Amino acid sequence: MNILIIGSGGREHCLAWKISQSKLVDKLFAIPGNAGISQIAVCENISCSKENFGNILQFIEKNGIHLTIVGPEAPLVDGIVDYLSKKGHLVFGPDQTAAQIEGSKVFTKKLCMSHDIPTAKAEFFNKSELDKAISYIKGLKENEFPYVIKADGLAYGKGVIIAQSKEELLDALDGFFIKNRFGKSGQDIVIEEFISGFEVSLLCLCDGKKLIPLDLAQDYKKIFDGDNGKNTGGMGSYSPLPFIDEVLYEKILNKIVLPTFHALKDENINYTGVLYAGIIVRGNEPYLLEYNCRFGDPETQVVLPRLKNDIVPVLLDCARGSLRDIKLKWDDEKTVCVVLASKGYPETSSKGDIISGLEEIKSKKDVFVFHAGTKKDGDKTVTDGGRVLNVVAKADTFKEARILGYEAIERIGFNGMQFRKDIALKVEETL
Ligand code: GLY
């Protein structure tokens, strides 16, 4: 069968890599893809914006695509699954109503609050309620800060601000409602309590009726070592998570993920595709931070290399709404992913810088280089975005995986390359 992957990041390269190993696949395509994906799939440079859904449809029909897998959230929130399904095509991903789980923070928060799913307490305001929002903030107790303010809509990791004082929260509110920093996405906001703890990502494959959880991963969101600096799309990840015991895992599943899935069903929402739960653990209690409606990036890059099953039948089952009772099997080995980012990231990104060392790494066993923001420029591979490459290493222990990964990184270079040196450091001594 022919499969199309929509997207151009490290997550999509990793998906393409995993799918290309399936005997079920004849030809693999990607829209728009990147320099790495183009080594294993035929890439077509069509943007994934709503205006181009018609062009994507034409491509699907011309190339006899049997299954389309949508990577990024924006086309899902814009309704690409509804559009292609109505034309008779099989698509992996939630429809527009279901994608609200990521597309609207207000929707998700209200869903969780009305179904007693543990999450930070929140208040909601529309742009027309500026005075009400200001009085609410002025009434908060200074000793209960920080508070978190979030844009309702998609903001690519930038729409969440942690305010340490009333002044900072009022300033952030001004950014949302007066300066319009987030455009339409920031017309509605959520102000919620801050929960401190450690974060866990649980990605589940869903067919509308049931779900299968993938193995856990942890993401590093801050740009600098020690979790300092600005938030990013993710600077690294590792899997599995040695500090999550069975009791905590069952709580995540039974208090958060399954109740959400059932709550969606109660609202007549048929959730298919990936339900990605971003969890924060305080003490031994998990709380829902946010849901995403797609594979995590860079979590996918550490989870899929540990999956022993062929992923294609599972994705097909989810898209068809008929997930069999499949037992997923996982490598005991540990994976560590380090993101190499371009100069200026996350505020800006540098494009067109030549990347060296990629050929040397190709021959290294258990090191995978998934491309994110790259493109071909003649016979050279150049940077083309904020997150440029994901170096993933797999080994018996986290310590070995870290050594393998960071050794590989020493061979790679491009102008202004930045990366964190502490990915999976805290689990290095665990087995
Ligand atoms: N790793 C964060 C995300 O995929 O949104």
Side-chain angles (χ1 to χ4, degrees):
M1 78 176 66
N2 294 344
I3 294 187
L4 168 66
I5 297 171
I6 292 184
S8 63
R11 161 187 55 206
E12 287 80 16
H13 189 183
C14 182
L15 275 164
W17 166 82
K18 182 68 183 163
I19 288 167
S20 68
Q21 292 161 30
S22 171
K23 290 195 176 67
L24 297 170
V25 179
D26 293 312
K27 262 183 137 179
L28 188 56
F29 296 86
I31 288 177
N34 61 35
I37 298 174
S38 70
Q39 292 165 11
I40 49 175
V42 177
C43 294
E44 182 77 12
N45 194 11
I46 303 174
S47 111
C48 307
S49 62
K50 200 169 180 176
E51 305 75 61
N52 277 309
F53 287 178
N55 294 331
I56 294 175
L57 173 68
Q58 268 181 18
F59 183 88
I60 287 172
E61 294 186 339
K62 185 171 133 216
N63 291 287
I65 304 290
H66 299 97
L67 173 67
T68 299
I69 298 155
V70 186
E73 59 276 23
L76 292 166
V77 170
D78 284 345
I80 194 166
V81 174
D82 312 56
Y83 178 81
L84 296 174
S85 307
K86 271 190 200 124
K87 304 282 180 189
H89 296 286
L90 196 57
V91 194
F92 176 88
D95 65 19
Q96 191 165 26
T97 311
Q100 283 184 92
I101 200 97
E102 178 165 2
S104 170
K105 305 277 176 291
V106 173
F107 166 83
T108 301
K109 198 56 139 175
K110 287 187 173 167
L111 186 82
C112 289
M113 285 165 74
S114 63
H115 287 81
D116 290 329
I117 294 163
T119 186
K121 282 197 200 83
E123 294 291 332
F124 311 95
F125 301 95
N126 177 265
K127 200 176 167 171
S128 60
E129 300 171 307
L130 177 65
D131 290 342
K132 195 172 149 202
I134 292 175
S135 328
Y136 171 74
I137 293 172
K138 287 191 172 157
L140 295 172
K141 294 197 181 88
E142 202 69 75
N143 63 356
E144 286 175 357
F145 273 74
Y147 271 82
V148 184
I149 181 164
K150 293 180 175 176
D152 175 50
L154 296 184
Y156 307 98
K158 298 199 170 116
V160 177
I161 296 169
I162 300 170
Q164 301 295 339
S165 64
K166 278 188 203 184
E167 201 186 329
E168 275 185 36
L169 192 51
L170 286 167
D171 193 49
L173 181 74
D174 188 72
F176 282 88
F177 284 171
I178 307 290
K179 298 202 178 76
N180 238 350
R181 272 185 58 204
F182 301 97
K184 247 178 96 182
S185 290
Q187 306 242 313
D188 286 280
I189 56 159
V190 179
I191 298 181
E192 66 180 40
E193 290 173 347
F194 174 80
I195 300 181
S196 61
F198 62 86
E199 288 185 35
V200 172
S201 302
L202 178 60
L203 281 52
C204 303
L205 301 175
C206 313
D207 75 344
K209 296 179 275 302
K210 57 175 182 278
L211 60 76
I212 304 185
L214 301 181
D215 222 343
L216 295 161
Q218 191 168 53
D219 174 23
Y220 289 72
K221 296 226 167 65
K222 299 281 183 186
I223 183 77
F224 298 129
D225 283 14
D227 291 331
N228 289 308
K230 293 227 155 103
N231 259 343
T232 69
M235 289 300 289
S237 53
Y238 64 90
S239 177
L241 302 190
F243 50 83
I244 302 287
D245 62 20
E246 209 159 305
V247 176
L248 184 51
Y249 182 74
E250 291 299 320
K251 280 186 192 168
I252 294 172
L253 215 53
N254 294 323
K255 289 186 162 186
I256 298 179
V257 177
L258 289 171
T260 306
F261 195 56
H262 295 140
L264 287 165
K265 271 196 252 178
D266 289 349
E267 310 264 326
N268 285 323
I269 293 175
N270 186 51
Y271 199 98
T272 67
V274 176
L275 181 64
Y276 160 160
I279 305 288
I280 187 137
V281 179
R282 180 174 64 190
N284 263 328
E285 290 304 318
Y287 298 85
L288 188 272
L289 264 188
E290 61 175 18
Y291 276 109
N292 293 321
C293 63
R294 34 101 194 152
F295 282 100
D297 188 342
E299 290 91 332
T300 305
Q301 293 88 311
V302 285
V303 170
L304 293 190
R306 296 187 47 245
L307 177 62
K308 291 185 183 173
N309 307 59
D310 181 348
I311 196 171
V312 173
V314 194
L315 300 179
L316 271 173
D317 278 3
C318 288
R320 287 181 180 135
S322 57
L323 196 47
R324 279 162 278 188
D325 281 323
I326 307 163
K327 177 114 185 77
L328 297 183
K329 296 192 199 84
W330 300 96
D331 261 351
D332 284 335
E333 285 177 303
K334 318 292 187 272
T335 42
V336 174
C337 169
V338 181
V339 171
L340 309 185
S342 72
K343 194 172 155 186
Y345 184 74
E347 286 92 353
T348 59
S349 61
S350 167
K351 294 191 176 178
D353 298 310
I354 295 169
I355 304 170
S356 61
L358 291 173
E359 281 307 310
E360 253 185 86
I361 291 174
K362 260 190 181 163
S363 56
K364 275 183 90 73
K365 196 178 162 289
D366 290 330
V367 176
F368 317 97
V369 179
F370 297 121
H371 290 222
T374 68
K375 69 171 187 189
K376 285 307 263 186
D377 183 5
D379 62 348
K380 307 244 180 323
T381 304
V382 299
T383 63
D384 193 37
R387 292 188 290 172
V388 177
L389 296 167
N390 307 152
V391 178
V392 178
K394 186 159 94 155
D396 285 339
T397 64
F398 283 115
K399 194 168 194 158
E400 286 163 339
R402 273 176 48 81
I403 292 170
L404 206 57
Y406 281 107
E407 265 176 14
I409 290 169
E410 278 175 26
R411 295 161 202 241
I412 301 176
F414 53 85
N415 179 35
M417 177 170 114
Q418 40 171 347
F419 62 92
R420 280 183 64 158
K421 320 246 176 346
D422 62 347
I423 306 299
L425 182 62
K426 61 189 166 201
V427 289
E428 195 177 53
E429 298 307 330
T430 62
L431 291 175

